[in-house]
Amino acid sequence: MRFTPEQRRLLWLSAAEITADRAQRLIETRGSACALWEDYARGEALTANADAAAILKRYHSEAALDTLCERLDKLNVKVLFQTDDAYPPLLRCIDDPPYALYVLGDVKALARPSVAIVGTRYPSGYGRNMARALAFGLCDAGMCVVSGMARGIDGCAHEGAIDAQGPTVAVLGSGVNVPYPMENIGLYRKIIDSFGAVVSEYPVDAVPQTYHFPHRNRVISGLSHGAVFVEGRVKSGGMITVNTALNQGRDVFAVPGLVGQAV
């Protein structure tokens, strides 16, 4: 995969996990990622985080970027930038869209009209059945199902989409080559091998971190026209996605719960 000089500099920032909002502010101030590269060469610090600073230093050479690009090719990972035609237009419209979106699988899945299905990691049988049925029905109607490949409702939603032989997109809080949780490795492979895709704004080999997941949730809703909350507590990761969907102006739906169910 060939990248422009600007795209290579964006990969450099991404390798250090410079967040989308910070990268956006830096680029708006200096005009381009190439300008940030030159600023760094003159000794200007771009982050106070020691780990990120070390990675910026490690990859601040054309040879190091060549090695990074070769690894992407070897893993068959595609990278979409905001100026690319294949970059999802809905995602481009949110306040802080990923400046580099890593994709493993079928990029065409990102072009389909999509609905997010989210909920608890510990669902009831009712919740599992509803997630699968909703995903199956949405895919049968020509939609793509987006979720986070977590255990519970997320996994059931992806499985329902696959059962319908429809597209599904899993948004990870790790690199696209680092499936998480590992118990869903079989599902991860099915998504990639069918009509779906695994995506992340985090660089390849990035391990899951607690703070990654709230950022990941805005991508789930950002890719989608609407979000369905199937089951879960008021204070949960699924509700974070609901709130980001509302903030992004997306439609939000909820499955009626069972009488006496804890909230």
Side-chain angles (χ1 to χ4, degrees):
M1 185 181 299
R2 297 182 64 84
F3 299 107
T4 67
E6 180 71 5
Q7 290 170 342
R8 285 168 66 90
R9 284 14 174 194
L10 290 171
L11 288 174
W12 169 63
L13 295 175
S14 177
E17 295 187 22
I18 302 298
T19 61
D21 56 346
R22 176 157 181 77
Q24 183 173 299
R25 290 195 302 270
L26 288 169
I27 291 170
E28 286 175 352
T29 298
R30 293 294 294 120
S32 68
C34 286
L36 294 175
W37 176 275
E38 298 302 328
D39 290 345
Y40 185 85
R42 290 190 291 269
E44 183 171 328
L46 301 183
T47 176
N49 182 283
D51 291 338
I55 295 172
L56 289 174
K57 181 178 180 180
R58 182 191 315 162
Y59 286 105
H60 194 263
S61 72
E62 297 298 344
L65 287 180
D66 286 342
T67 300
L68 178 60
C69 294
E70 288 169 5
R71 178 146 178 74
L72 291 170
D73 282 338
K74 183 177 180 180
L75 293 170
N76 200 29
V77 173
K78 306 171 187 70
V79 188
L80 300 180
F81 301 93
Q82 291 179 36
T83 55
D84 291 337
D85 291 340
Y87 192 96
L90 277 178
L91 188 61
R92 189 186 289 124
C93 292
I94 70 173
D95 289 340
D96 52 350
Y99 54 91
L101 188 68
Y102 299 85
V103 184
L104 197 54
D106 190 352
V107 173
K108 293 192 295 294
L110 298 172
R112 300 288 292 271
S114 301
V115 173
I117 297 180
V118 297
T120 179
R121 287 174 169 78
Y122 307 101
S124 65
Y126 170 78
R128 290 181 182 277
N129 291 336
M130 287 301 301
R132 288 194 182 96
L134 286 167
F136 189 102
L138 285 165
C139 285
D140 199 42
M143 304 290 285
C144 173
V145 169
V146 180
S147 199
M149 212 185 79
R151 62 177 61 92
I153 294 297
D154 287 19
C156 292
H158 292 305
E159 288 168 357
I162 292 169
D163 288 345
Q165 298 184 351
T168 185
V169 172
V171 185
L172 301 189
S174 56
V176 291
N177 64 325
V178 183
Y180 180 83
M182 277 303 295
E183 68 191 63
N184 279 346
I185 181 68
L187 177 60
Y188 168 87
R189 289 169 177 160
K190 285 181 183 178
I191 292 170
I192 294 170
D193 293 340
S194 58
F195 304 99
V198 174
V199 306
S200 178
E201 66 179 318
Y202 296 105
V204 293
D205 302 325
V207 298
Q209 303 283 355
T210 301
Y211 63 87
H212 285 175
F213 293 93
H215 292 284
R216 179 278 303 267
N217 292 345
R218 89 189 192 290
V219 177
I220 293 175
S221 58
L223 286 167
S224 309
H225 288 82
V228 181
F229 185 74
V230 175
E231 183 182 54
R233 295 184 179 274
V234 172
K235 294 183 178 180
S236 65
M239 283 301 295
I240 294 176
T241 307
V242 166
N243 288 326
T244 60
L246 291 171
N247 290 337
Q248 293 164 354
R250 307 300 198 247
D251 291 323
V252 173
F253 309 89
V255 174
L258 295 171
V259 174
Q261 184 175 355
V263 295

